[in-house]
Amino acid sequence: MIKLKTTLATFFSFSVTTSAVAFGMSTYTNDYGKGTAEVQYKDFKLLLPKNWTEVDTGNDDSLMFTIMNDNDITEGYVGLFSEEFEYLEDFCDYPVSVLESMLSDTFLWSNPCKFEEYPILSDTEHGYFAASEQDISGDSVKSYALSFNYNKKLYCFFVNIYSDVDSDYSFDIAHVFNSICYNDNVSTDETTATESENLEDIGYGPGQYKVGTDLPSGEYYVLALYDGIHGYFSVTSDANGDNIILNDIFDVNSIVSVNDGEYLSLDDATAIPSSLFEAGYTINYQDFTSGTLKVGHDIQPGEYKLTASGDSSAYWSIYSNARHDIVSNDYFDGSSYVTLSDGQYFNYEDCTISQ
């Protein structure tokens, strides 16, 4: 199985402190401490105080809850909505632009998420958290909003508190945002890439394809579809497959670049355009004893120690490109060392990798 570089055990692990999001209100609320209810929304779920009541939005793509005080007076509301993307290049700008349009009046503070600090999503997807004071339909509100991309969708979670409310909801808001996690009841691609329906949908399954006609030229991650069954690809210059340019048999994955006019054949494998794969996935080499890694994405440049995983010899090779042009390679027993440079491709078989 191929795992994402981030796990949702750490999703939203950053802490929204009361001092960071307080607007100077006087009395702290603790609706969260009075009991919570789980709310499921598409790929995610979160915990909201039980006395925050759901409102019918008439829209399957959004949820809304009113925030009531002890006197059943509405003091604010919570909203959740999402939007699917057609093109991957739209991912990066949407979270920021959505927040800027939602919180257009006065930005009090904002924090672009740095993924080495906040392991929310992959490094090519964007998350943004911001707070603002603004007017909505004639009402002055204090807004807290989180916007991010996941699984080819934009998600936005926001809390609006009416400005004339005396209570400070910072405690409850912090707990709400930090409760967000993946929905266990939804089959998503956050744990495995090889079994993900989403990846199969955006990839090319078993069969023969003419490059430039059936699929575009370019670089592809080729993933074995089934545990325990080898995947295979071949690139040929003719439709009959007599002139093989390059091929590979693999347990986990390979990476290949194909040109217009060539033919790509896949057996027990799916080919994912690298631009799509790299937007949300990586080959986690620590989980496997074989595979092909793109240096700078799946593994960082540097020196690594390889240790043979069995009694027989292990093997490694370094490619200069995704056409499998070999820079260096070696069969070895016991252990071996390699130095990898950005932009290279590293193939390893029957060994583990450590630094």
Side-chain angles (χ1 to χ4, degrees):
M1 295 186 297
I2 298 171
K3 297 188 176 180
L4 283 177
K5 70 177 74 174
T6 56
T7 65
L8 265 108
T10 54
F11 189 80
F12 291 113
S13 61
F14 65 94
S15 176
V16 184
T17 64
T18 55
S19 60
V21 296
F23 289 89
M25 295 181 282
S26 56
T27 305
Y28 287 94
T29 63
N30 188 13
D31 289 350
Y32 215 85
K34 300 174 184 176
T36 59
E38 182 180 278
V39 175
Q40 298 187 12
Y41 179 65
K42 298 193 175 182
D43 296 307
F44 298 94
K45 61 183 179 181
L46 67 160
L47 296 175
L48 293 180
K50 286 184 176 180
N51 61 324
W52 294 10
T53 308
E54 184 173 359
V55 177
D56 185 8
T57 64
N59 186 342
D60 292 337
D61 288 327
S62 64
L63 291 177
M64 185 169 289
F65 296 79
T66 56
I67 301 172
M68 312 286 287
N69 65 15
D70 293 338
N71 296 318
D72 293 330
I73 297 174
T74 301
E75 296 195 326
Y77 50 94
V78 179
L80 306 87
F81 67 86
S82 65
E83 177 184 353
E84 289 196 19
F85 291 100
E86 183 177 0
Y87 302 106
L88 186 72
E89 52 265 32
D90 291 337
F91 272 28
C92 295
D93 295 332
Y94 265 78
V96 176
S97 63
V98 165
L99 287 182
E100 287 177 345
S101 64
M102 286 180 58
L103 314 179
S104 57
D105 289 0
T106 305
F107 261 79
L108 293 183
W109 62 272
S110 62
N111 180 21
C113 298
K114 297 179 180 179
F115 299 99
E116 64 270 22
E117 298 173 3
Y118 306 127
I120 296 177
L121 299 172
S122 71
D123 59 3
T124 54
E125 294 182 285
H126 288 207
Y128 218 81
F129 186 69
S132 172
E133 287 185 308
Q134 60 178 329
D135 289 326
I136 298 178
S137 300
D139 293 316
S140 178
V141 299
K142 296 152 187 175
S143 296
Y144 312 76
L146 175 68
S147 182
F148 60 90
N149 296 316
Y150 174 71
N151 200 18
K152 294 196 74 175
K153 296 186 186 74
L154 163 79
Y155 283 88
C156 189
F157 297 81
F158 65 90
V159 180
N160 289 341
I161 305 295
Y162 294 118
S163 298
D164 59 359
V165 170
D166 292 330
S167 300
D168 186 335
Y169 280 86
S170 297
F171 177 87
D172 291 315
I173 291 169
H175 278 77
V176 167
F177 280 125
N178 281 300
S179 74
I180 302 172
C181 63
Y182 281 129
N183 188 353
D184 297 332
N185 296 323
V186 175
S187 177
T188 59
D189 53 16
E190 73 273 10
T191 56
T192 77
T194 52
E195 296 176 357
S196 166
E197 292 182 2
N198 182 60
L199 274 180
E200 292 175 9
D201 289 342
I202 64 175
Y204 299 86
Q208 185 186 43
Y209 301 90
K210 186 172 183 178
V211 182
T213 300
D214 302 317
L215 84 174
S217 60
E219 184 182 282
Y220 291 81
Y221 277 75
V222 186
L223 314 178
L225 283 174
Y226 310 107
D227 288 338
I229 299 177
H230 296 305
Y232 173 80
F233 80 81
S234 65
V235 179
T236 63
S237 61
D238 64 301
N240 294 332
D242 296 328
N243 184 14
I244 296 177
I245 301 172
L246 71 154
N247 62 355
D248 195 10
I249 186 170
F250 48 91
D251 293 325
V252 177
N253 84 295
S254 187
I255 304 174
V256 64
S257 179
V258 293
N259 301 318
D260 285 343
E262 295 176 341
Y263 297 83
L264 174 64
S265 296
L266 303 170
D267 293 333
D268 296 320
T270 184
I272 313 296
S274 291
S275 59
L276 294 182
F277 185 89
E278 292 172 10
Y281 303 90
T282 190
I283 306 299
N284 190 343
Y285 64 84
Q286 295 178 334
D287 287 349
F288 306 105
T289 58
S290 66
T292 300
L293 310 173
K294 189 173 183 178
V295 182
H297 178 71
D298 304 305
I299 191 170
Q300 295 306 305
E303 184 181 87
Y304 292 86
K305 180 179 181 179
L306 310 178
T307 304
S309 56
D311 295 331
S312 59
S313 296
Y315 173 78
W316 62 264
S317 58
I318 298 174
Y319 306 142
S320 61
N321 52 49
R323 299 289 279 188
H324 296 199
D325 292 331
I326 294 177
V327 175
S328 57
N329 64 342
D330 190 24
Y331 282 97
F332 67 94
D333 297 318
S335 63
S336 179
Y337 282 85
V338 296
T339 299
L340 304 177
S341 300
D342 194 32
Q344 292 180 328
Y345 298 79
F346 181 59
N347 171 253
Y348 66 107
E349 298 177 14
D350 300 320
C351 59
T352 59
I353 303 173
S354 60
Q355 264 188 312

